[in-house]
Amino acid sequence: MSDSFTGELWDSITDIYSAILAHPFIKGLTDGTLPQESFAFFVVQDGLYLKQYASALAAVASRAPEPTAMRMFARHAADAVTVEQELHSALLPELGISAAAAAAAEPAPTNLAYTSYLLSTIRGGTYAEGVGAVLPCYWIYWEVGKELLRHRSPDPRYQRWIDTYGGDEFGQVVRDVIAEADAVGPVLSAGERALVRRHFRTTSRYEWMFWDMGYRRESWPV
């Protein structure tokens, strides 16, 4: 896959992606062994994450050099909020969580660290760095969603989540962002490419940590 810039980026995280697929959270979605409490914790934290991710995408949009990319990331920022409202509002009652409880939740340590890294990278770095930082959330969710679709889940709540991220509609969104990253890559210096690759690998690590956070129902140690 390394013929393109994004192929180079993906090749740099094959070890991380393999670790994600092997994680008991992911395996538990398809065999039904994932504890409901872990999935519920994950859904609440994902809602908190998506609000900050929408802010990150809006910040990337504001730095885009071309109107097409600006409109795309601005639209995705709005869509992230929509997904949070629609998917989570449907799932939370089925998981026994009230809207008030979800709204009162605080981000777990990994969630706060991940979103803080995203926002600081985008606001303090270049447009290319911002694209590299937000791309793993798109791409890894899509790849995981496609993998899970091949196996499906005996739990209809888990399957609803799988259908959202493994489907063609989300896939087209991801392809558009990959294309934008590939358009940016050729104009970067070797040093800039290395910096983007570092951000891409770092946020990919945070993706693994987010699954692990949900599985363990992570809390502050003190």
Side-chain angles (χ1 to χ4, degrees):
M1 187 183 281
S2 56
D3 290 344
S4 63
F5 182 48
T6 55
E8 175 188 329
L9 294 176
W10 188 263
D11 286 349
S12 76
I13 65 154
T14 53
D15 58 331
I16 299 171
Y17 181 63
S18 295
I20 288 172
L21 291 184
H23 196 283
F25 189 106
I26 301 300
K27 289 186 172 296
L29 284 171
T30 54
D31 64 18
T33 60
L34 178 66
Q36 175 182 304
E37 295 80 9
S38 292
F39 186 66
F41 182 91
F42 170 84
V43 170
V44 170
Q45 289 295 316
D46 195 42
L48 297 174
Y49 170 86
L50 283 173
K51 288 183 175 70
Q52 296 302 310
Y53 191 63
S55 296
L57 294 178
V60 173
S62 72
R63 309 200 70 170
E66 300 294 336
T68 301
M70 184 183 298
R71 288 192 295 268
M72 178 184 70
F73 282 116
R75 184 174 66 253
H76 292 180
D79 289 347
V81 175
T82 300
V83 167
E84 188 272 328
Q85 291 174 336
E86 293 180 353
L87 179 61
H88 295 170
S89 64
L91 281 173
L92 289 175
E94 296 180 13
L95 294 167
I97 301 171
S98 68
E106 294 185 359
T110 293
N111 194 350
L112 184 60
Y114 187 179
T115 55
S116 297
Y117 181 86
L118 275 176
L119 291 167
S120 65
T121 297
I122 294 162
R123 290 168 179 167
T126 64
Y127 170 67
E129 288 177 73
V131 173
V134 300
L135 181 54
C137 182
Y138 284 100
W139 202 349
I140 290 174
Y141 261 52
W142 183 39
E143 294 296 339
V144 168
K146 288 189 295 181
E147 181 67 23
L148 294 177
L149 269 180
R150 285 193 277 271
H151 302 285
R152 304 191 66 78
S153 175
D155 191 312
R157 299 165 301 180
Y158 299 174
Q159 187 61 45
R160 186 178 299 115
W161 186 92
I162 292 168
D163 290 340
T164 298
Y165 292 106
D168 292 337
E169 184 176 354
F170 184 63
Q172 187 54 57
V173 169
V174 179
R175 282 189 287 267
D176 289 344
V177 181
I178 291 172
E180 175 62 15
D182 277 330
V184 169
V187 302
L188 302 178
S189 68
E192 290 169 329
R193 288 169 73 97
L195 192 54
V196 172
R197 187 166 58 249
R198 188 176 76 188
H199 292 312
F200 183 84
R201 185 167 171 82
T202 297
T203 53
S204 295
R205 283 172 163 157
Y206 272 123
E207 287 293 319
W208 182 93
M209 291 170 66
F210 206 97
W211 302 113
D212 191 61
M213 172 201 74
Y215 190 73
R216 294 185 293 107
R217 303 193 291 280
E218 181 187 75
S219 61
W220 293 95
V222 293

